[in-house]
């Protein structure tokens, strides 16, 4: 057993986590950072699934009429009532400050052959404000790591947080496990959750394997409030011959899209007044699925092919744009011309030649728009527990602007780091620390009962794939009450099986990842069931219209999962 002490615990190693570490150290704190993998590998920030990422900030570089006020309006409109205006205001006002901050650390934004910054217009945005970054967030992560005072940080890699230690509404640190199975006890005065999203709850995802909703489950078990977990970004990706996001410009060429029976996937899906060309033209303007416009029929048609069992062996449908490319290249469509060179180079380097013939595409889980409910100091409803990045809700809403996630991670990672350090160094109430060991032993005793339950072991090789399969079918872009209720029952049965027969123990992390997955999936399904309407990224086929009575975020607490009280 290892015992580690510090002022601030940062859980996660993506952009939000690295910025939180950097800011907390700068503020004078001693920081403990825990990562499930290694720096530069953990989380979605360093998981590269496209040729470049946008970094949105409204400095008027491409359009003098752009400003933080315009950026604010864009986010609020895309949020459809689900974004927190206080947090959005902070994001848009501080985002421009992050660019010189990152450049001073050595982060290079892409330029054209004249030396001008490459700035594009992101999904759902009204102005071009997205600076271009290669390698997604990896450059930011490595730059922050190289400029953080290592003498004031304790980095624990290949380690998983299993429980937060909370007493009387105050977070006092955490329990963790190394990959070797060795127990780690971490005593700190403040904790920051930067654990990312939950993409690996789905059978098809644009997230790495370690992103499975740990932070949401940890927060809920600790007593933190969550919101907006029904809102998650889904979009089209290439699943064969390679793996990549399917760039939205491809839809502007009106490709042929067919199922395993060689039928047009749009047949029987579109209303009589809407053509598939109209749908594709609208889809070419933004990548993520949204129920707010007719582009939704692209993902709905793909998903209905999957649900109906008409998908190809690779798990999706076939898209063929070879004929259109042969006649259009270099083309007259401006969107196509702007994107072709950089996108095609990326595709070819990943074994994908869209000009040669059919490719396989599918709907993929991307980023969660919700998470822990935080205030303007990035603190959750638990004192001493902070959250940033994809683990936190508020800066986004029902839909999220393209290019907003990375600056969100930097802005709120910095706020969380500074505020946690200030709380730890100056505002921490020490009256609870004497109970730390007693609280830890109580958690470990309860955990042992679950891990060592009598009877045959649950089989993770059956449990997790089935959860991911059903989540991929019924919690993606087409949701109905009957399917969501079936999902709830399946998740509850898996939880009951674990409690009766013990958790799988083939790897030290697996029992806790399995339970965190069930808790987070249950939260997401509960939120989707409660929202009996369609709004942004949430589409209920049985309630296809927006309903004003659901015009505010749905807040979730432990009582939302009362059936899971044995493990919360």
């Amino acid at each position: 057993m290892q015992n580690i002490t510090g002022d601030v615990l940062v859980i996660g190693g993506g952009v939000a986590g690295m910025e939180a570490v950097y800011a907390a150290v700068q503020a004078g704190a001693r920081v403990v950072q825990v990562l499930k993998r290694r720096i530069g590998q953990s989380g979605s920030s360093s998981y590269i699934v496209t040729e470049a990422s946008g970094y949105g900030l409204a400095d008027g570089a491409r359009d003098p009429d752009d400003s933080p006020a315009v950026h604010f309006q864009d986010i609020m409109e895309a949020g459809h009532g689900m974004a927190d205006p206080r947090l959005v205001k902070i994001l848009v006002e501080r985002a421009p400050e992050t660019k010189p901050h990152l450049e001073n650390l050595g982060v290079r934004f892409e330029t054209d052959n004249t030396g001008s910054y490459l700035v594009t217009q992101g999904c759902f945005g009204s102005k071009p404000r997205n600076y271009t970054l290669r390698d997604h967030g990896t450059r930011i992560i490595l730059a922050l790591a190289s400029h953080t005072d290592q003498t004031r940080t304790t980095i624990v890699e290949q380690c998983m947080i299993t429980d937060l230690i909370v007493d009387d509404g105050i977070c006092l640190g955490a329990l963790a496990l190394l990959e070797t199975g060795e127990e780690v006890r971490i005593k700190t005065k403040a904790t920051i959750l930067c654990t990312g999203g939950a993409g690996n709850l789905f059978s098809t995802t644009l997230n790495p394997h370690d992103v499975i909703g740990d932070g949401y489950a940890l927060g809920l078990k600790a007593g933190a409030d969550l919101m907006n977990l029904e809102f998650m970004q889904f979009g089209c990706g290439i699943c064969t011959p390679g793996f990549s996001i399917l760039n939205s410009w491809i839809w502007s060429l009106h490709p042929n899209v067919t199922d395993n029976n060689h039928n047009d996937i749009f047949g029987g899906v579109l209303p009589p007044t809407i053509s598939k060309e109209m749908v594709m033209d609208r889809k070419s303007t933004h990548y993520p699925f949204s129920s707010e416009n007719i582009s939704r029929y692209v993902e709905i048609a793909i998903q209905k092919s999957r649900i109906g069992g008409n998908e190809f062996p690779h798990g999706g449908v076939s898209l063929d744009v070879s004929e259109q490319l042969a006649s259009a290249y270099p083309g007259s469509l401006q969107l196509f011309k702007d994107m072709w060179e950089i996108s095609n180079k990326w595709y070819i380097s990943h074994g994908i030649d869209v000009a040669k013939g059919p490719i396989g595409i599918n709907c993929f889980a991307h980023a969660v728009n919700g998470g822990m409910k935080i205030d303007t100091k990035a603190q959750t409803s638990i004192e001493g527990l902070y959250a940033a990045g994809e683990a936190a809700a508020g800066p986004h809403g029902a839909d999220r602007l393209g290019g907003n996630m990375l600056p969100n991670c930097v802005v709120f990672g910095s706020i969380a780091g500074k505020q946690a350090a200030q709380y730890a160094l100056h505002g921490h109430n020490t009256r609870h620390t004497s109970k730390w060991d007693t609280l830890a032993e109580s958690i470990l005793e309860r955990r042992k009962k679950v891990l060592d339950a009598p009877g045959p072991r649950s089989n993770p090789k059956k449990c997790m794939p089935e959860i991911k399969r059903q989540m991929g079918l019924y919690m993606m872009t087409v949701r109905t009450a009957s399917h969501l209720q079936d999902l709830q029952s399946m998740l509850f049965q898996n939880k009951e099986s674990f409690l009766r027969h013990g958790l799988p123990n083939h790897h030290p992390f697996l029992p806790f990842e399995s339970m965190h997955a069930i808790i987070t999936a249950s939260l997401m399904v509960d939120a989707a069931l409660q929202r009996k309407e369609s709004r942004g990224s949430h589409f209920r086929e049985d309630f296809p219209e927006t309903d004003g009575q659901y015009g505010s975020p749905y807040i979730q607490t432990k009582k939302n999962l009362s059936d899971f009280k044995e493990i919360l």
Side-chain angles (χ1 to χ4, degrees):
M1 182 181 69
Q2 289 189 33
N3 287 287
I4 301 175
T5 60
D7 299 315
V8 176
L9 167 62
V10 177
I11 307 171
V15 169
M18 298 306 298
E19 180 66 38
V21 171
Y22 177 83
V25 170
Q26 290 287 102
R30 295 175 300 118
V31 176
V32 180
Q33 183 181 20
V34 172
L35 305 91
K36 281 177 78 174
R37 296 176 72 186
R38 297 189 182 278
I39 289 177
Q41 298 176 356
S42 287
S44 299
S45 296
S46 55
Y47 194 63
I48 304 167
V49 292
T50 188
E51 67 274 19
S53 296
Y55 191 95
L57 56 96
D59 61 358
R62 274 283 303 274
D63 189 334
D65 291 330
D66 197 14
S67 67
V70 176
H71 195 184
F72 175 90
Q73 189 62 34
D74 284 354
I75 295 174
M76 295 305 295
E77 288 181 5
H80 303 290
M82 301 298 112
D84 185 333
R86 302 170 305 160
L87 303 185
V88 175
K89 187 172 186 292
I90 290 171
L91 174 60
V92 300
E93 290 180 349
R94 297 197 185 183
E97 303 168 4
T98 65
K99 180 171 170 288
H101 160 61
L102 294 177
E103 289 182 320
N104 287 337
L105 296 177
V107 176
R108 185 174 66 84
F109 293 89
E110 295 299 311
T111 58
D112 60 22
N113 53 16
T114 69
S116 299
Y117 286 111
L118 287 173
V119 182
T120 60
Q121 186 164 324
C123 303
F124 307 120
S126 66
K127 302 287 185 183
R129 63 173 71 96
N130 282 4
Y131 285 79
T132 303
L133 272 174
R134 300 274 185 178
D135 304 326
H136 196 37
T138 305
R139 292 181 179 182
I140 301 175
I141 290 170
L142 298 179
L144 287 164
S146 67
H147 285 81
T148 299
D149 184 352
Q150 300 300 312
T151 66
R152 301 190 65 80
T153 59
T154 300
I155 299 172
V156 187
E157 297 179 311
Q158 296 177 304
C159 181
M160 181 181 178
I161 301 294
T162 61
D163 297 273
L164 298 177
I165 302 295
V166 177
D167 183 44
D168 196 23
I170 299 176
C171 187
L172 306 171
L175 296 176
L177 280 179
L178 295 172
E179 271 198 330
T180 60
E182 184 179 3
E183 181 187 326
V184 183
R185 299 185 179 197
I186 306 168
K187 299 180 182 181
T188 54
K189 301 171 185 176
T191 298
I192 308 173
L193 286 167
C194 299
T195 45
N200 254 286
L201 293 180
F202 298 82
S203 53
T204 50
T205 179
L206 297 169
N207 288 183
H209 294 299
D210 56 321
V211 179
I212 202 162
D214 291 313
Y216 309 130
L218 288 168
L220 185 79
K221 289 194 293 181
D225 294 343
L226 298 100
M227 74 178 200
N228 287 345
L229 285 181
E230 66 270 44
F231 300 114
M232 182 169 184
Q233 283 194 328
F234 303 102
C236 296
I238 299 172
C239 52
T240 185
F243 173 66
S244 174
I245 281 179
L246 180 72
N247 285 302
S248 55
W249 60 261
I250 286 180
W251 296 106
S252 67
L253 297 179
H254 301 159
N256 302 311
V257 190
T258 55
D259 63 20
N260 194 28
N261 298 315
H262 307 292
N263 294 321
D264 188 326
I265 66 168
F266 294 101
V269 174
L270 302 181
T273 57
I274 297 176
S275 69
K276 64 181 181 181
E277 289 78 17
M278 293 165 61
V279 170
M280 292 180 184
D281 285 342
R282 189 68 179 90
K283 185 62 190 171
S284 70
T285 66
H286 62 84
Y287 162 75
F289 168 77
S290 177
S291 66
E292 299 293 332
N293 60 65
I294 63 172
S295 72
R296 65 183 178 270
Y297 290 110
V298 167
E299 288 90 352
I300 288 173
I302 295 171
Q303 197 68 2
K304 281 186 170 292
S305 294
R306 297 177 70 184
I307 294 171
N310 297 319
E311 58 186 0
F312 281 82
H314 58 64
V317 298
S318 173
L319 180 146
D320 190 351
V321 75
S322 56
E323 181 181 343
Q324 290 88 337
L325 280 171
S327 59
Y329 182 73
S332 58
L333 297 172
Q334 188 60 47
L335 181 64
F336 170 66
K337 291 200 303 183
D338 286 347
M339 294 303 299
W340 169 253
E341 183 176 350
I342 187 170
S343 295
N344 192 50
K345 185 182 294 184
W346 162 268
Y347 284 146
I348 294 296
S349 71
H350 285 71
I352 304 165
D353 192 340
V354 296
K356 270 192 174 179
I359 58 174
I361 68 167
N362 212 334
C363 290
F364 285 78
H366 193 187
V368 180
N369 288 353
M372 248 70 65
K373 188 175 184 292
I374 61 171
D375 62 17
T376 57
K377 295 181 179 180
Q379 184 168 255
T380 70
S381 52
I382 299 297
E383 184 179 334
L385 179 62
Y386 301 78
E390 203 174 336
H396 318 300
D399 279 324
R400 172 171 64 83
L401 264 62
N404 263 23
M405 185 56 86
L406 288 176
N408 168 60
C409 289
V410 176
V411 168
F412 286 97
S414 178
I415 291 171
K418 291 175 183 175
Q419 293 297 329
Q422 182 176 345
Y423 173 79
L425 296 173
H426 306 294
H428 180 63
N429 187 336
T430 59
R431 64 188 171 89
H432 296 268
T433 54
S434 60
K435 299 169 64 176
W436 205 101
D437 290 321
T438 302
L439 294 165
E441 291 300 331
S442 175
I443 291 173
L444 291 170
E445 182 179 346
R446 186 173 66 170
R447 176 199 295 176
K448 190 175 187 301
K449 290 180 180 178
V450 176
L451 291 174
D452 297 339
R457 291 284 169 184
S458 299
N459 188 350
K461 292 182 179 179
K462 293 182 179 179
C463 162
M464 287 308 298
E466 182 60 15
I467 290 173
K468 294 174 71 167
R469 186 188 74 83
Q470 290 202 35
M471 289 288 283
L473 285 174
Y474 307 126
M475 258 297 286
M476 277 252 195
T477 56
V478 180
R479 301 169 177 175
T480 64
S482 60
H483 283 145
L484 293 170
Q485 287 162 356
D486 288 345
L487 264 174
Q488 269 190 332
S489 297
M490 180 270 295
L491 293 165
F492 179 77
Q493 288 166 8
N494 273 287
K495 183 268 294 186
E496 289 295 292
S497 177
F498 284 168
L499 290 176
R500 286 196 307 271
H501 304 308
L503 292 172
N505 59 0
H506 301 275
H507 185 283
F509 292 177
L510 190 53
F512 306 99
E513 287 188 322
S514 299
M515 197 57 77
H516 288 174
I518 290 174
I519 292 170
T520 299
S522 299
L523 279 168
M524 297 174 79
V525 172
D526 170 68
L529 265 172
Q530 297 301 321
R531 186 167 291 281
K532 298 179 176 68
E533 63 157 359
S534 294
R535 185 185 296 260
S537 57
H538 169 69
F539 176 68
R540 285 283 299 265
E541 189 175 31
D542 45 355
F543 295 98
E545 304 299 326
T546 301
D547 188 335
Q549 70 174 307
Y550 296 98
S552 58
Y554 175 54
I555 308 299
Q556 291 174 291
T557 63
K558 279 189 177 183
K559 65 177 173 48
N560 294 97
L561 290 183
S562 57
D563 288 338
F564 288 73
K565 58 182 178 295
E566 303 97 324
I567 59 172
L568 293 179

